[in-house]
């Protein structure tokens, strides 16, 4: 290799294609590009949330409006939205039941530090769906996880939280870890912040019951926090018998089990938990539960409630300023959010809509499998409920290590940039598709056609 080539290595075939797609994107999204430049003057990371910068085109499109399963950007492009706000928009954009309930409640008071009668209906419905008797509301799933962890620490007197490598549970410090050479390391791309994670976290591979048993044996873990199947590092299904063993070993070691259904609520009306008869000590959800209005919820069993009330009594009329729990926030359970949650549970995330969403996810997965099979590529598609995922490996992974070993980040970025140029939005982190009630068979077929062209493109370029 010459010195010049070492300093300026030739771009790989994927990089050449990506440069081309990003230039195509730039030239057709001039208004978004200009908005993004102006955003640099006002925002720490160019946009109101740093997550918004992580799109494959090189900058985000600026949304003009969204309806149902479609988004229109300020340059006038239409997208089939399979990202759906990374699940926050799983009800679809602007469903009538939600907009009507929100408008009505805004006129009657958005937030009052008072419960409304809607909360009674919502509480009963959450118990009917998920099986847990007592609920608390927060303003995000992150906050619900933090609340669950705090309660687990209160009732067990233990400090540590165990998570599975490759997990994501929001801005929960204890979960910002992954397994590195058998030890607790910082999660992929998380910047260090001075916290000694080995003091508060344990981490093992998903589906590895032996490692879990060893990690819980010392009796210093307050809770295991897990999704019922992993959705944040590619889709990693739970293997046969995993959940039964997880429940058994957590019970045996006095460790609480928190199941985070924030994404897997896409499995059905009561999430994966109801579908598979899981029995967590606590259950967390958020995002879609209030139609995109900030909300988080967590439920606890009778036993956890009793243990908590022994520490912090339920009601004591004589002592108004009794201990608070150190969880939640001023706006948690506000009247607006609760009214919308009711509208969502009554009229949007219904059995019938879940069936439609699952059918469209199955249609997408089946068609994508067909494209993959015809091309002979060693890729696979997983479909769980209303969600599907294309992964660049032949079989579903068992754990985060397998995902990491097979990951082709540059090819994934190219696929996502191509999608955006062709009017398809997927979650910007990996190739995951979510259906909403308004997603149509035509929307799905649009993806199939675009995906087939992408496969042709990378095949012709000799990239795969
Ligand atoms: C499983 C899971 N839990 C919790 C969260 C945090 O949700 P939020 O960012 O709305 O607090 C996420 C976010 O992606 C998630 O995937």
């Amino acid at each position: 290799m010459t010195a010049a080539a070492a300093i300026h290595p030739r771009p790989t075939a994927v990089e050449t294609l990506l440069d081309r797609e990003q230039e195509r994107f730039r030239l057709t999204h001039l208004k978004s590009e200009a908005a993004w430049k102006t955003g640099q003057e006002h925002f720490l990371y160019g946009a109101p949330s740093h997550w918004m910068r992580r799109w494959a085109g090189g900058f985000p499109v600026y949304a003009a409006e969204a309806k149902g399963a479609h988004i229109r950007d300020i340059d006038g492009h239409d997208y089939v939205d399979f990202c759906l706000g990374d699940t926050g928009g799983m009800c679809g954009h602007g469903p009538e039941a939600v907009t009507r309930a929100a408008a009505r409640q805004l006129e009657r008071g958005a937030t009052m530090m008072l419960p409304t009668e809607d909360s009674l209906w919502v509480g009963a419905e959450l118990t009917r769906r998920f099986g847990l008797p007592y609920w608390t509301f927060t303003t995000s799933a992150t906050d619900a996880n933090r609340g669950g962890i705090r309660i687990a620490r209160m009732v067990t007197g233990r400090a540590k939280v165990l998570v599975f490598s490759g997990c994501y549970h929001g801005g929960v410090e204890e979960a910002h870890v992954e397994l590195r050479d058998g030890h607790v390391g910082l999660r992929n791309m998380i910047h260090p912040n001075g916290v000694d994670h080995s003091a508060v976290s344990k981490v093992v591979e998903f589906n590895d019951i032996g490692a879990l048993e060893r990690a819980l044996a010392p009796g210093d873990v307050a809770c295991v926090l897990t999704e019922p199947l992993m959705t944040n590092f590619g889709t990693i299904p739970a293997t046969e018998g995993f959940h039964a063993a997880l429940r058994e070993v957590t019970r045996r070691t006095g460790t609480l089990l928190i199941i985070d259904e924030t994404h897997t609520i896409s499995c059905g009306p009561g999430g994966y938990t109801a579908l598979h008869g899981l029995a967590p000590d606590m259950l967390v959800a958020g995002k879609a539960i209030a139609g995109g209005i900030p909300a988080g919820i967590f439920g606890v069993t009778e036993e956890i409630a009793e243990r908590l009330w022994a520490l912090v009594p339920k009601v004591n009329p004589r002592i108004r300023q009794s201990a608070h729990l150190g969880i939640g926030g001023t706006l948690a359970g506000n009247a607006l959010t609760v009214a919308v949650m009711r509208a969502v549970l009554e009229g949007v995330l219904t059995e019938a809509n879940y069936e439609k969403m699952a059918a469209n996810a199955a249609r997408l997965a089946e068609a994508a499998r067909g494209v993959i099979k015809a091309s002979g590529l060693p890729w696979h598609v997983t479909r769980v409920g209303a969600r599907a995922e294309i992964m660049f490996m032949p079989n579903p992974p068992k754990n985060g290590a397998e995902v990491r070993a097979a990951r082709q980040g540059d090819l994934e970025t190219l696929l996502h940039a191509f999608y955006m140029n062709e009017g398809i939005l997927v979650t910007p982190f990996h190739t995951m598709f979510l259906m909403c009630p308004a997603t149509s068979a035509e929307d799905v077929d649009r993806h199939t056609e675009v995906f087939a062209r992408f496969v042709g493109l990378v095949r012709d370029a000799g990239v795969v």
Side-chain angles (χ1 to χ4, degrees):
M1 190 190 281
T2 64
I7 295 166
H8 300 292
R10 275 172 52 141
T12 63
V14 176
E15 284 166 348
T16 303
L17 288 178
L18 181 60
D19 288 349
R20 208 169 76 193
E21 286 304 318
Q22 288 191 333
E23 185 59 3
R24 176 156 81 109
F25 181 78
R26 196 184 69 72
L27 291 173
T28 49
H29 295 80
L30 295 176
K31 286 188 180 166
S32 280
E33 188 191 29
W36 175 239
K37 280 188 179 145
T38 307
Q40 308 306 314
E41 296 165 20
H42 310 300
F43 295 107
L44 200 49
Y45 285 97
S49 157
H50 76 98
W51 291 101
M52 292 173 181
R53 80 191 200 285
R54 302 189 62 191
W55 291 88
F59 54 87
V61 297
Y62 278 65
E65 61 182 328
K67 189 71 192 160
H70 285 248
I71 292 180
R72 196 169 55 76
D73 71 15
I74 60 173
D75 286 284
H77 303 285
D78 170 71
Y79 302 87
V80 181
D81 184 10
F82 292 110
C83 169
L84 293 168
D86 193 21
T87 309
M90 192 176 83
C91 293
H93 301 294
E96 206 190 324
V98 166
T99 53
R100 226 185 307 117
R104 189 162 167 272
Q105 192 60 46
L106 274 170
E107 284 180 351
R108 299 163 147 220
T111 191
M112 297 164 273
M113 189 61 80
L114 290 171
T116 53
E117 286 179 316
D118 280 336
S119 67
L120 305 177
W121 187 93
V122 173
E125 176 63 9
L126 292 177
T127 296
R128 190 187 71 77
R129 287 188 179 220
F130 297 104
L132 293 152
Y134 298 109
W135 294 88
T136 286
F137 295 168
T138 60
T139 46
S140 68
T142 295
D143 221 19
N145 278 324
R146 287 199 195 112
I149 290 171
R150 188 160 212 283
I151 288 177
R153 285 173 165 155
M154 287 169 75
V155 304
T156 62
R158 304 172 178 179
K160 289 187 177 168
V161 174
L162 184 141
V163 294
F164 293 106
S165 198
C167 75
Y168 182 69
H169 296 283
V172 174
E173 197 60 58
E174 294 82 348
H176 286 162
V177 290
E178 66 183 16
L179 204 57
R180 292 268 174 86
D181 304 324
H183 297 288
V184 175
L186 271 182
R187 187 185 199 274
N188 179 30
M189 294 193 310
I190 286 271
H191 203 272
N193 65 348
V195 169
D196 175 8
H197 283 89
S198 64
V200 290
S201 313
K202 286 193 180 181
V203 59
V204 298
E205 293 291 359
F206 197 57
N207 287 318
D208 186 345
I209 287 296
L212 179 71
E213 281 195 298
R214 288 190 293 281
L216 297 187
D220 57 353
V221 175
C223 61
V224 171
L225 172 62
T226 185
E227 290 187 276
L229 63 114
M230 298 185 80
T231 68
N232 279 297
F233 200 50
T235 299
I236 310 178
T239 50
E240 185 76 36
F242 172 72
H243 277 293
L246 169 65
R247 189 59 282 202
E248 189 280 320
V249 69
T250 46
R251 282 213 175 103
R252 175 156 43 88
T253 54
T255 313
L256 303 189
L257 176 60
I258 306 180
I259 294 283
D260 181 350
E261 293 267 12
T262 303
H263 276 181
T264 47
I265 196 172
S266 58
C267 292
Y272 188 102
T273 292
L275 209 56
H276 295 271
L278 305 189
D281 297 297
M282 298 188 225
L283 182 145
V284 165
K287 297 199 186 188
I289 199 84
I293 287 181
I297 59 171
F298 68 92
V300 305
T301 58
E302 186 76 44
E303 188 211 321
I304 299 302
E306 297 286 351
R307 288 170 70 180
L308 186 62
W309 293 332
L311 300 170
V312 182
K314 202 170 186 182
V315 192
N316 186 345
R318 293 235 173 92
I319 311 173
R320 187 159 55 90
Q321 299 292 356
S322 59
H324 68 81
L325 296 172
I327 58 176
T330 312
L331 295 179
N334 70 74
L336 172 64
T337 307
V338 173
V340 174
M341 239 192 260
R342 177 172 184 165
V344 164
L345 295 172
E346 250 178 347
V348 186
L349 295 184
T350 58
E351 293 270 358
N353 276 339
Y354 269 106
E355 272 172 33
K356 184 178 172 212
M357 288 149 69
N360 276 321
R363 183 184 181 98
L364 187 145
E366 213 33 61
R369 280 185 199 118
V371 171
I372 291 168
K373 190 158 181 230
S375 69
L377 285 167
W379 298 353
H380 79 275
V381 186
T382 304
R383 199 272 301 182
V384 189
R387 207 180 278 282
E389 169 133 23
I390 296 173
M391 294 183 79
F392 303 143
M393 53 198 293
N395 297 303
K398 278 204 304 296
N399 54 42
E402 288 187 12
V403 176
R404 196 170 301 105
R407 190 135 230 187
Q408 297 178 58
D410 50 354
L411 187 60
E412 190 171 85
T413 306
L414 174 63
L415 171 60
H416 290 199
F418 186 82
Y419 275 157
M420 291 187 82
N421 280 327
E422 300 293 337
I424 302 280
L425 283 191
V426 296
T427 164
F429 317 121
H430 43 101
T431 311
M432 190 163 74
F433 306 83
L434 182 63
M435 311 297 134
C436 69
T439 308
S440 67
E442 293 74 43
D443 295 332
V444 167
D445 295 347
R446 182 152 140 197
H447 169 264
T448 306
E449 185 265 319
V450 170
F451 180 58
R453 275 196 287 121
F454 175 79
V455 168
L457 176 79
V458 288
R459 268 277 188 240
D460 291 348
V463 165
V464 289

